[in-house]
């Protein structure tokens, strides 16, 4: 028995870890990652680069497809007299989350796969992209959303106009404050997940993180939709809300529309501050 126990001890210690893991990695003297430099506020050279416009086109197409598939799903649920005969709220949530997963995967290497002005705003506040690129992305996202909702309306105009066009609104039984709070918290969850999934430190230490990054982002969208569809129909994306409201073009579609811009932008700002200041402590690193 003593010989066998010795073999077990030898086997357990035969191969040492090549690099520290877990909390040991946090205390390592040398960093195994490099903090990306902050993006400049204005970058005029971008305007002469084809990659800049290619990224904007990618954001346009991705947001177009996002609205097209998700609004069509909403129309399919609204068309049926019985929710049991359709995919229901869960299916709508999967449609939004699944499309974000697929589209982020497709466009992450081109534009970063934002597909949402709130995400772009949060990343801008964290100095991940310039103001020039942020504004361009937001414009292209909004145009793509309008076109995507417009195509759905062209396919099923009667159904589209009769079922609200997928436009966001604070539902009966909830106050404006409820709707604003739901949008702030929901967007915080999304943008915080984006920061965590694309963090340079995690990407360096876990090689699988960049590949799997779209999955937690899409799953966050799915979960937020499950929670907030009964409250506001779930905006958390100003382009999505704007596109549906413009194409639907009814006065009540614009009622309280400010909630679906102010809420997501506040949530994105809070997520950016939390990630940069609290989680990564970037403003304090120069003091260490």
């Amino acid at each position: 028995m003593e010989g066998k126990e010795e073999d077990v001890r030898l086997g357990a210690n035969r191969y040492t870890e090549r690099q520290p893991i877990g909390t040991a990695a946090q205390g390592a003297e040398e960093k195994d990652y490099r903090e990306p430099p902050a993006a400049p506020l204005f970058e005029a050279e971008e305007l002469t680069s084809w990659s800049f416009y290619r990224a904007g086109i990618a954001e346009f197409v991705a947001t177009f497809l996002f609205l097209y598939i998700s609004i069509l799903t909403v129309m399919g649920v609204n068309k049926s007299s019985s929710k049991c005969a359709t995919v229901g709220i869960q299916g709508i949530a999967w449609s939004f989350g699944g499309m974000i997963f697929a589209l982020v995967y497709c466009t992450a290497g081109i534009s970063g796969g934002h597909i949402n002005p709130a995400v772009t705003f949060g990343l801008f506040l964290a100095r991940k992209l310039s103001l020039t690129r942020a504004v361009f992305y937001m414009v292209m996202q909004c145009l793509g959303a309008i076109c995507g909702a417009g195509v759905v309306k062209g396919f099923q105009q009667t159904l589209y106009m009769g079922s609200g066009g997928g436009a966001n609104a604070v539902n009966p039984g909830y106050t404006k404050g409820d709707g604003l709070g739901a949008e702030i918290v929901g967007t915080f969850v999304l943008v915080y997940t984006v920061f965590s999934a694309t963090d340079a430190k995690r990407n360096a230490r876990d090689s699988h993180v960049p590949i799997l990054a779209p999955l937690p982002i899409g799953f966050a969208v799915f979960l937020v939709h499950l929670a907030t569809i009964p409250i506001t129909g779930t905006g958390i994306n100003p382009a999505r809300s704007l596109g549906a409201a413009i194409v639907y073009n009814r006065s009540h579609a614009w009622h309280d529309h400010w909630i679906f811009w102010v809420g997501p932008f506040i949530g994105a700002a809070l997520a950016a501050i939390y990630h940069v200041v609290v989680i990564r402590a970037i403003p304090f690193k120069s003091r260490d």
Side-chain angles (χ1 to χ4, degrees), residues 8-9 20 71 115 124 139 197 240 255:
V8 170
R9 285 195 296 272
I71 298 298
I115 323 172
F124 164 71
V139 171
R240 172 259 186 274
H255 189 60

Side-chain angles (χ1 to χ4, degrees), residues 15-113:
Y15 301 104
T16 58
E17 293 289 346
R18 294 184 178 180
Q19 56 183 182
I21 59 175
T23 55
Q26 298 175 7
E29 293 182 1
E30 295 184 2
K31 289 183 178 180
D32 54 0
Y33 69 96
R34 183 173 297 175
E35 201 73 58
L41 187 60
F42 295 101
E43 195 168 1
E45 293 181 359
E46 286 186 321
L47 300 177
T48 61
S49 171
W50 164 241
S51 63
F52 175 76
Y53 297 99
R54 180 184 64 182
I57 294 170
E59 287 294 310
F60 173 88
V61 172
T63 315
F64 170 86
L65 294 174
F66 176 58
L67 265 288
Y68 173 75
I69 296 297
S70 57
I71 298 298
L72 267 182
T73 305
V74 173
M75 295 299 98
V77 172
N78 291 339
K79 182 178 180 180
S80 177
S81 58
S82 172
K83 295 296 184 288
C84 295
T86 67
V87 294
I89 289 180
Q90 293 85 354
I92 293 174
W94 273 120
S95 174
F96 279 87
M99 279 304 292
I100 288 296
F101 166 65
L103 293 170
V104 170
Y105 179 83
C106 293
T107 60
I110 303 171
S111 64

Side-chain angles (χ1 to χ4, degrees), residues 78-275:
N78 291 339
K79 182 178 180 180
S80 177
S81 58
S82 172
K83 295 296 184 288
C84 295
T86 67
V87 294
I89 289 180
Q90 293 85 354
I92 293 174
W94 273 120
S95 174
F96 279 87
M99 279 304 292
I100 288 296
F101 166 65
L103 293 170
V104 170
Y105 179 83
C106 293
T107 60
I110 303 171
S111 64
H114 298 188
I115 323 172
N116 184 337
V119 171
T120 300
F121 180 66
L123 293 173
F124 164 71
L125 292 181
R127 302 294 302 276
K128 302 293 185 182
L129 72 164
S130 66
L131 178 62
T132 311
R133 186 174 291 265
V135 172
F136 183 49
Y137 277 14
M138 291 181 190
V139 171
M140 297 301 282
Q141 290 158 358
C142 290
L143 291 176
I146 294 169
C147 292
V151 170
V152 175
K153 181 180 179 180
F155 284 167
Q156 305 182 42
Q157 184 166 358
T158 303
L159 175 62
Y160 185 90
M161 299 305 294
S163 58
N168 292 118
V170 179
N171 291 322
Y174 295 95
T175 66
K176 295 178 183 179
D178 295 335
L180 181 63
E183 290 296 307
I184 291 173
V185 176
T187 311
F188 179 91
V189 171
L190 169 60
V191 178
Y192 176 42
T193 303
V194 170
F195 275 113
S196 299
T198 59
D199 189 276
K201 188 174 182 179
R202 295 188 64 190
N203 289 353
R205 293 178 177 174
D206 301 309
S207 60
H208 63 279
V209 168
I211 301 173
L212 297 179
L215 182 59
I217 295 171
F219 201 62
V221 172
F222 164 69
L223 293 174
V224 171
H225 274 75
L226 282 183
T228 60
I229 282 177
I231 304 174
T232 62
T234 309
I236 68 170
N237 185 334
R240 172 259 186 274
S241 301
L242 178 68
I246 285 180
V247 175
Y248 184 55
N249 194 27
R250 289 290 186 272
S251 59
H252 59 83
W254 295 103
H255 189 60
D256 300 333
H257 185 72
W258 61 271
I259 290 174
F260 303 102
W261 281 86
V262 174
F265 273 57
I266 292 176
L270 292 174
I273 293 170
Y274 179 65
H275 178 79

